[in-house]
mmCIF file of all heavy atoms in Angstrom:
data_model
loop_
_atom_site.group_PDB
_atom_site.id
_atom_site.type_symbol
_atom_site.label_atom_id
_atom_site.label_comp_id
_atom_site.label_asym_id
_atom_site.label_seq_id
_atom_site.Cartn_x
_atom_site.Cartn_y
_atom_site.Cartn_z
ATOM 1 N N GLU A 35 2.799 4.249 -1.844
ATOM 2 C CA GLU A 35 1.404 4.677 -2.065
ATOM 3 C C GLU A 35 1.274 5.449 -3.385
ATOM 4 O O GLU A 35 0.290 5.280 -4.113
ATOM 5 C CB GLU A 35 0.896 5.543 -0.907
ATOM 6 C CG GLU A 35 0.756 4.823 0.431
ATOM 7 C CD GLU A 35 -0.380 3.806 0.480
ATOM 8 O OE1 GLU A 35 -0.968 3.449 -0.571
ATOM 9 O OE2 GLU A 35 -0.690 3.346 1.601
ATOM 10 N N THR A 39 -1.056 4.415 -6.663
ATOM 11 C CA THR A 39 -2.073 5.243 -7.351
ATOM 12 C C THR A 39 -1.836 5.233 -8.862
ATOM 13 O O THR A 39 -2.765 5.411 -9.626
ATOM 14 C CB THR A 39 -2.110 6.711 -6.870
ATOM 15 O OG1 THR A 39 -0.845 7.307 -7.091
ATOM 16 C CG2 THR A 39 -2.503 6.839 -5.415
ATOM 17 N N HIS A 61 -10.616 1.621 -3.663
ATOM 18 C CA HIS A 61 -9.315 1.653 -3.008
ATOM 19 C C HIS A 61 -8.391 2.718 -3.588
ATOM 20 O O HIS A 61 -7.522 3.246 -2.890
ATOM 21 C CB HIS A 61 -8.654 0.281 -3.035
ATOM 22 C CG HIS A 61 -7.579 0.139 -1.990
ATOM 23 N ND1 HIS A 61 -7.773 0.484 -0.672
ATOM 24 C CD2 HIS A 61 -6.283 -0.250 -2.080
ATOM 25 C CE1 HIS A 61 -6.646 0.286 0.008
ATOM 26 N NE2 HIS A 61 -5.734 -0.153 -0.832
ATOM 27 N N LEU A 62 -8.613 3.067 -4.865
ATOM 28 C CA LEU A 62 -7.826 4.156 -5.453
ATOM 29 C C LEU A 62 -8.150 5.464 -4.726
ATOM 30 O O LEU A 62 -7.251 6.232 -4.373
ATOM 31 C CB LEU A 62 -8.120 4.281 -6.963
ATOM 32 C CG LEU A 62 -7.457 5.441 -7.703
ATOM 33 C CD1 LEU A 62 -5.932 5.432 -7.554
ATOM 34 C CD2 LEU A 62 -7.817 5.429 -9.194
ATOM 35 N N GLN A 63 -9.437 5.690 -4.460
ATOM 36 C CA GLN A 63 -9.835 6.889 -3.707
ATOM 37 C C GLN A 63 -9.269 6.852 -2.291
ATOM 38 O O GLN A 63 -8.756 7.848 -1.785
ATOM 39 C CB GLN A 63 -11.367 7.042 -3.670
ATOM 40 C CG GLN A 63 -12.006 7.301 -5.036
ATOM 41 C CD GLN A 63 -11.255 8.373 -5.840
ATOM 42 O OE1 GLN A 63 -10.949 9.450 -5.337
ATOM 43 N NE2 GLN A 63 -10.925 8.062 -7.104
ATOM 44 N N GLU A 64 -9.366 5.679 -1.653
ATOM 45 C CA GLU A 64 -8.820 5.527 -0.291
ATOM 46 C C GLU A 64 -7.321 5.802 -0.279
ATOM 47 O O GLU A 64 -6.796 6.431 0.645
ATOM 48 C CB GLU A 64 -9.055 4.090 0.212
ATOM 49 C CG GLU A 64 -10.418 3.864 0.797
ATOM 50 C CD GLU A 64 -10.632 2.421 1.258
ATOM 51 O OE1 GLU A 64 -9.850 1.505 0.866
ATOM 52 O OE2 GLU A 64 -11.584 2.207 2.003
ATOM 53 N N THR A 65 -6.639 5.307 -1.309
ATOM 54 C CA THR A 65 -5.185 5.475 -1.376
ATOM 55 C C THR A 65 -4.814 6.954 -1.448
ATOM 56 O O THR A 65 -3.838 7.396 -0.819
ATOM 57 C CB THR A 65 -4.616 4.692 -2.579
ATOM 58 O OG1 THR A 65 -4.949 3.306 -2.419
ATOM 59 C CG2 THR A 65 -3.095 4.814 -2.676
ATOM 60 N N LYS A 66 -5.601 7.736 -2.180
ATOM 61 C CA LYS A 66 -5.341 9.187 -2.229
ATOM 62 C C LYS A 66 -5.504 9.818 -0.855
ATOM 63 O O LYS A 66 -4.716 10.687 -0.448
ATOM 64 C CB LYS A 66 -6.282 9.853 -3.249
ATOM 65 C CG LYS A 66 -5.908 9.493 -4.687
ATOM 66 C CD LYS A 66 -6.918 10.013 -5.700
ATOM 67 C CE LYS A 66 -6.546 9.552 -7.107
ATOM 68 N NZ LYS A 66 -7.640 9.809 -8.076
ATOM 69 N N GLY A 67 -6.502 9.338 -0.090
ATOM 70 C CA GLY A 67 -6.693 9.807 1.286
ATOM 71 C C GLY A 67 -5.536 9.385 2.182
ATOM 72 O O GLY A 67 -5.135 10.123 3.085
ATOM 73 N N GLN A 68 -5.008 8.198 1.923
ATOM 74 C CA GLN A 68 -3.867 7.708 2.712
ATOM 75 C C GLN A 68 -2.637 8.566 2.480
ATOM 76 O O GLN A 68 -1.867 8.839 3.416
ATOM 77 C CB GLN A 68 -3.567 6.242 2.331
ATOM 78 C CG GLN A 68 -4.670 5.295 2.764
ATOM 79 C CD GLN A 68 -4.460 3.881 2.245
ATOM 80 O OE1 GLN A 68 -3.564 3.620 1.448
ATOM 81 N NE2 GLN A 68 -5.309 2.970 2.689
ATOM 82 N N ILE A 69 -2.460 9.005 1.229
ATOM 83 C CA ILE A 69 -1.328 9.887 0.914
ATOM 84 C C ILE A 69 -1.497 11.215 1.669
ATOM 85 O O ILE A 69 -0.536 11.739 2.229
ATOM 86 C CB ILE A 69 -1.216 10.079 -0.611
ATOM 87 C CG1 ILE A 69 -0.727 8.779 -1.261
ATOM 88 C CG2 ILE A 69 -0.283 11.246 -0.963
ATOM 89 C CD1 ILE A 69 -0.774 8.741 -2.775
ATOM 90 N N ASP A 70 -2.725 11.726 1.726
ATOM 91 C CA ASP A 70 -2.972 12.959 2.496
ATOM 92 C C ASP A 70 -2.616 12.759 3.974
ATOM 93 O O ASP A 70 -2.013 13.626 4.602
ATOM 94 C CB ASP A 70 -4.457 13.354 2.415
ATOM 95 C CG ASP A 70 -4.817 13.901 1.039
ATOM 96 O OD1 ASP A 70 -3.890 14.254 0.275
ATOM 97 O OD2 ASP A 70 -6.024 13.963 0.723
ATOM 98 N N ARG A 71 -3.015 11.593 4.541
ATOM 99 C CA ARG A 71 -2.677 11.320 5.942
ATOM 100 C C ARG A 71 -1.167 11.255 6.160
ATOM 101 O O ARG A 71 -0.648 11.766 7.147
ATOM 102 C CB ARG A 71 -3.313 10.005 6.410
ATOM 103 C CG ARG A 71 -4.777 10.136 6.716
ATOM 104 C CD ARG A 71 -5.307 8.878 7.430
ATOM 105 N NE ARG A 71 -6.730 8.790 7.190
ATOM 106 C CZ ARG A 71 -7.305 7.858 6.434
ATOM 107 N NH1 ARG A 71 -6.595 6.884 5.904
ATOM 108 N NH2 ARG A 71 -8.605 7.880 6.245
#
Side-chain angles (χ1 to χ4, degrees):
E35 293 290 12
T39 60
H61 200 49
L62 176 57
Q63 294 314 312
E64 277 178 344
T65 301
K66 289 174 183 168
Q68 292 173 353
I69 289 171
D70 288 343
R71 282 191 204 111

